[in-house]
């Protein structure tokens, strides 16, 4: 069993839809949870990060962490064609100095 | 956030040869990280490079295959040695966040194909 499970997709949605991206994990010691966005031929770009459980909102993006279920989500409201990318969930035991474990990434396509 | 530049951005190499990838950061950082992103697989950490000490390699990666240099606080290199088609991958450099607890930031990677 992988430490972090993520559906690779692809996921196609119409413009304006609400997108839900999810990851599950097996190690309850993870404390930091991140979402990266990766456009084609580019490196991962940090989108959001949270510490421990709870919600965090930034514009059209909301990250949720449910540690009791070992489940994290990223919601994108009013999705745009520019949101078309691969979304990687990631997590670590502590902050930026430490090893980060990534999901495989979900490829999202927002259709105009 | 730090600006990270990687060179080359892509290359096509013959099997049995070696390639050195460079990673330059526009600010001083203590920790630099090298990852591999193979098709259909998640990013996998190869090693952590701390200036002034030997790199720390993850399970499955060895120094003879992936030697790393870290001569100063803004630069690192990763060499992929004696390449085979299985080494075809994207190699990514990342650096620590600006403050404790901040996530890592990545360069755009080097796309490597081995013939």
């Amino acid at each position: 069993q992988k430490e972090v499970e993520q559906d690779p997709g692809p996921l196609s949605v119409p413009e304006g839809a609400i997108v839900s991206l999810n990851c599950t994990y097996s190690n309850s010691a993870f404390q930091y949870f991140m979402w990266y966005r990766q456009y084609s031929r580019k490196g991962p770009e940090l989108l959001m990060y949270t510490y421990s459980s709870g919600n965090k909102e930034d514009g059209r993006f909301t990250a949720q962490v449910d540690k009791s279920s070992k489940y994290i989500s990223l919601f994108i409201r009013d999705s745009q064609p520019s949101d078309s990318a691969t979304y990687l969930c990631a997590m670590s035991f502590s902050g930026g100095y430490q090893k980060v474990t990534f999901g495989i990434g979900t490829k999202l396509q927002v259709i105009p | 956030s730090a600006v990270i530049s990687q060179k080359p951005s892509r290359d096509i190499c013959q099997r049995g040869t070696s390639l050195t990838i460079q990673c330059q950061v526009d600010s001083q950082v203590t920790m630099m990280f090298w990852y591999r992103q193979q098709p259909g697989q998640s990013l996998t950490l190869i090693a952590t490079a701390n200036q002034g000490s030997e790199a720390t390699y993850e399970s499955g990666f060895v120094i003879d295959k992936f030697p790393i240099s870290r001569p100063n606080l803004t630069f690192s290199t990763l060499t992929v040695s004696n390449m085979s088609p299985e080494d075809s991958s994207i190699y990514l450099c990342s650096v620590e966040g600006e403050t404790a607890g901040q996530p890592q930031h990545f360069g755009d990677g080097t796309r490597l194909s081995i013939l």
Side-chain angles (χ1 to χ4, degrees):
Chain A
Q1 181 189 10
K2 293 181 182 178
E3 273 195 296
V4 179
E5 297 278 359
Q6 184 176 12
D7 186 338
L11 177 64
S12 292
V13 301
E15 182 177 354
I18 297 174
V19 176
S20 173
L21 304 168
N22 311 292
C23 289
T24 59
Y25 62 96
S26 58
N27 195 331
S28 59
F30 286 129
Q31 295 286 344
Y32 286 80
F33 302 91
M34 293 144 280
W35 287 95
Y36 286 84
R37 178 175 61 193
Q38 187 173 21
Y39 290 113
S40 180
R41 303 189 183 282
K42 290 290 188 179
E45 167 195 7
L46 180 65
L47 201 56
M48 297 188 73
Y49 72 97
T50 56
Y51 171 71
S52 195
S53 285
N55 295 358
K56 186 173 184 179
E57 187 173 323
D58 184 1
R60 296 184 296 111
F61 299 90
T62 299
Q64 287 186 354
V65 175
D66 182 350
K67 291 192 71 179
S68 63
S69 302
K70 299 191 184 69
Y71 188 87
I72 68 171
S73 302
L74 177 71
F75 297 96
I76 307 174
R77 292 182 297 281
D78 188 25
S79 55
Q80 303 294 310
S82 58
D83 295 327
S84 298
T86 297
Y87 290 80
L88 309 170
C89 65
M91 46 202 77
S92 65
F93 303 127
S94 61
Y97 292 7
Q98 302 301 320
K99 176 182 176 181
V100 179
T101 302
F102 286 83
I104 197 171
T106 300
K107 187 171 184 178
L108 172 68
Q109 183 178 17
V110 181
I111 302 169
Chain B
S1 60
V3 176
I4 304 166
S5 302
Q6 273 188 246
K7 291 182 180 180
S9 59
R10 63 187 309 142
D11 208 340
I12 301 173
C13 300
Q14 297 293 323
R15 67 176 67 200
T17 62
S18 299
L19 178 74
T20 296
I21 302 167
Q22 299 179 4
C23 181
Q24 179 76 52
V25 190
D26 70 344
S27 59
Q28 294 184 340
V29 293
T30 303
M31 307 287 278
M32 296 179 76
F33 307 86
W34 287 98
Y35 286 82
R36 183 172 71 182
Q37 188 175 30
Q38 293 184 307
Q41 297 187 27
S42 58
L43 264 75
T44 302
L45 181 64
I46 296 171
T48 301
N50 193 359
Q51 194 269 336
S53 63
E54 294 288 326
T56 302
Y57 289 83
E58 295 297 307
S59 176
F61 298 96
V62 295
I63 188 171
D64 289 346
K65 177 67 175 177
F66 298 101
I68 288 171
S69 77
R70 184 76 203 276
N72 58 51
L73 291 173
T74 63
F75 188 78
S76 179
T77 67
L78 170 75
T79 298
V80 186
S81 303
N82 188 25
M83 290 183 286
S84 66
E86 292 72 34
D87 295 319
S88 297
S89 183
I90 301 171
Y91 292 87
L92 292 149
C93 168
S94 77
V95 302
E96 63 197 15
E98 285 79 17
T99 58
Q102 294 284 318
Q104 296 170 25
H105 298 276
F106 287 82
D108 281 339
T110 296
R111 282 149 185 82
L112 182 58
S113 298
I114 314 303
L115 302 179

